[in-house]
Amino acid sequence: MHALEAILASHSGRDSVSAGEIITIDVDIAGINDLYIQVLEAFWKMGGKRVWDPKKVVFFFDHYSPPSTIKAATNQRVMREFIAQQGIENFFDINEGVCHPVLFDNGLVVPGLTVVITDSHTTTHGAYGAFSTGVGATDMAGVLLTGKLWVKVPEIARIGITGALNDRIMGKDIILHILKKLRADGAVYKAVEFAGPLVANMSLEQRTVLSNMSVEMGAKASFISIDALTREEIERRTAKSYTIPVTDSDYEYAELFTFDLSELEPQVALPGAVDNVVEVKRVLGRSIDQAYIGGCTGGLFEDIDAAAHQLCGKRVRKGVKLIVSPASRSIYLRALEAGYIAEIVRAGGTIVNPGCGPCLGVHQGILAPGEVCVSSASRNFLGRMGSTEAKIYLTSSATAAASAAKGVIALPIKETR
Amino acid sequence: MILEIQGRVLRLGDNVDTDQIYPSRYIEITNESEMAQHALEGIDPGLPEKLSAVGILVAGRNFGCGSSREHAPRSLRAAGIKVVIAESFARIFYRNAINLGLPAIHIPSARAINSGDRLLVRLAEGKLIDKTTKTEYLFEGFSDFVLDILEAGGLVSYYKSRNKDAHA
């Protein structure tokens, strides 16, 4: 079995599982964000009174943080009452940030768990050796009721990555390149494993970017082997014990891909499609109105670091809106302590609080018709950040920051950090 | 579950994502008839009001890719779509549609079906008839579990009727 299958087997009372089987798994972490009051409505309509295990339920107020409409505030208020009534202690309020880095930074994700959250980027936690997948509100209501989820065991594709990278490349450039090759439906119904010497040399944060954006290929879940680096980062955050899931040496992947990225240059996804990817140098000089650096894909500590580095001694081009949102409270604090926030503000950037807002166009950086934005986030569908007549280019945070300084799409200077 | 569905086709392309199906700025809406007013608005603001006259969506590959927002299939259903057919589905959208009792049918050869075609879908038989082009398509029946959910009218009714709440 693959490591992911080992997790599924152990959570469904079986000795083994194989691709294509429909099984029911026990859920270790059920996460709900403030977008989906429908979870509660469906739970009540199903006849739910108490959640199956309040210790396994986590709430995040990360999308409307803080709420900017009466309706959003009211939805949150109803959720607050539910959280209190159910005795759910794992409640991350508007000050905490985006669910994925928050879950990890608070020591709640360890290898071998099943993690289900009402958010498509839940594939992120495969980088920590969990079986982790996104679900909709009604599925989550069923989980709250029963503690279980039905799952079709996925086929698994292995993406092996080799090569040494130049210092302008971040995890985002790598995953954009892979999306170009495998396309937006390249992993539909499959899980993807990222492996190879290049992955082993990446920081844990950069690895999470690969897992995070695997959903943009249609992946159900992702996986990266646990190594000494992962263990060190986990053990810095929690003393919880865990079992490392392992792939049998004779496991046969459904598909094998190898990418040698020695020559990789900074990448950009052109507006409207996450897999329409070219080298940044093909679109240099295109005027921009906004640069967004934030969210679970592009607002991690190393992204704020990259932004501060690119802006060092420079100013954001007059007329350009640079919006920076550290993805979590702990990332925000670390960036403050490192002086990055001051650097970015001095350069003319606008800091907004940790949260998802700008990425999906709910608030804090909505685009007008005709505006052009360079974004370190994960999606550039038409209308994603506001007007359907706005254009979003997806790049690394380094490229986004360099572009904000020039006022046009530009390559990062020298090292990213 | 309604076993036979008839309607006209609205044809969509590949990789139609959840922002096109239901833009983020409307996610806070909880009232279904209000949601219906925004279905497919991300593609064309004129589409929501045309959907009840249509009844059937036929899309290309990877339909519903992107976010886990259930508003995507929910707004479609509320706007009058009775069945969604696609060459392939994004998995969260597929699950959400089934959970809401909206049949989602995977037909890899659906590319030949055009906007305006009149279709007859026979869910139990796994048969789709394009009355306009006089073509028949066969599709794989739903798995038992999915069929149970659809027959119950969605996951909420499925659980409600099975009285699964052990914590009352």
Side-chain angles (χ1 to χ4, degrees), chain A residues 98 101 167:
Chain A
V98 183
D167 49 26

Side-chain angles (χ1 to χ4, degrees), chain A residues 36-38 45 47 50 64 69 71 75 120 133-134 136 138-139 149-150 184-185 189 360 379 381 384, chain B residues 17 19 24 28 30 61-62 66-71 74 89 91 94-96 99 145 160 165 167:
Chain A
Y36 301 123
I37 190 81
Q38 287 81 13
K45 283 198 190 127
R50 313 288 312 165
Y64 298 119
T69 64
K71 190 68 173 113
N75 290 348
S120 49
T133 196
T138 303
D139 255 338
L149 182 75
W150 73 266
D185 58 352
Y189 281 100
L360 78 160
R379 295 197 172 132
F381 302 131
R384 174 75 181 172
Chain B
D17 63 81
D19 281 275
S24 303
E28 63 185 22
T30 49
R61 292 191 318 268
N62 205 17
S67 156
S68 58
R69 66 190 67 161
E70 215 172 61
H71 308 66
R74 199 163 173 196
F89 286 97
R91 65 161 281 278
Y94 180 82
R95 287 182 75 108
N96 284 346
N99 284 337
F145 183 66
K160 199 169 161 185
D165 181 23
H167 304 278

Side-chain angles (χ1 to χ4, degrees), chain A residues 110-190:
Chain A
V110 295
L113 296 188
T114 52
V115 177
V116 172
I117 305 178
T118 56
D119 187 275
S120 49
H121 291 105
T122 306
T123 50
T124 303
H125 306 284
Y128 312 123
F131 177 86
S132 186
T133 196
V135 293
T138 303
D139 255 338
M140 180 55 72
V143 173
L144 292 185
L145 196 66
T146 65
K148 295 179 193 294
L149 182 75
W150 73 266
V151 173
K152 187 170 178 180
V153 180
E155 288 185 326
I156 303 175
R158 182 185 185 279
I159 299 174
I161 313 178
T162 61
L165 299 173
N166 73 60
D167 49 26
R168 285 173 166 181
I169 297 299
M170 300 184 78
K172 181 71 173 288
D173 299 292
I174 296 174
I175 190 66
L176 282 177
H177 180 77
I178 293 173
L179 277 161
K180 175 197 176 83
K181 295 294 184 187
L182 300 187
R183 311 310 308 275
D185 58 352
V188 167
Y189 281 100
K190 294 197 176 82

Side-chain angles (χ1 to χ4, degrees), chain A residues 285-293 311 315-324 344-345 347-351 365-367 371-375 399-410:
Chain A
R286 290 192 187 180
S287 238
I288 65 167
D289 302 290
Q290 178 161 308
Y292 167 59
I293 294 170
L311 292 167
R315 292 212 37 101
V316 173
R317 192 76 172 175
K318 199 167 163 63
V320 173
K321 302 173 266 186
L322 169 61
I323 298 174
V324 178
I344 293 166
V345 172
T350 303
I351 305 291
I366 298 203
L367 299 174
E371 283 194 318
V372 176
C373 178
V374 175
S375 165
T399 302
S403 304
K406 290 241 157 86
V408 299
I409 297 180

Side-chain angles (χ1 to χ4, degrees), chain B residues 1-6 82 101 103 121-124 150-151 153:
Chain B
M1 176 171 82
I2 297 168
L3 291 172
E4 205 174 88
I5 298 173
Q6 295 204 61
K82 296 175 273 194
V121 185
R122 295 206 170 109
L123 288 170
L150 285 174
E151 281 177 341

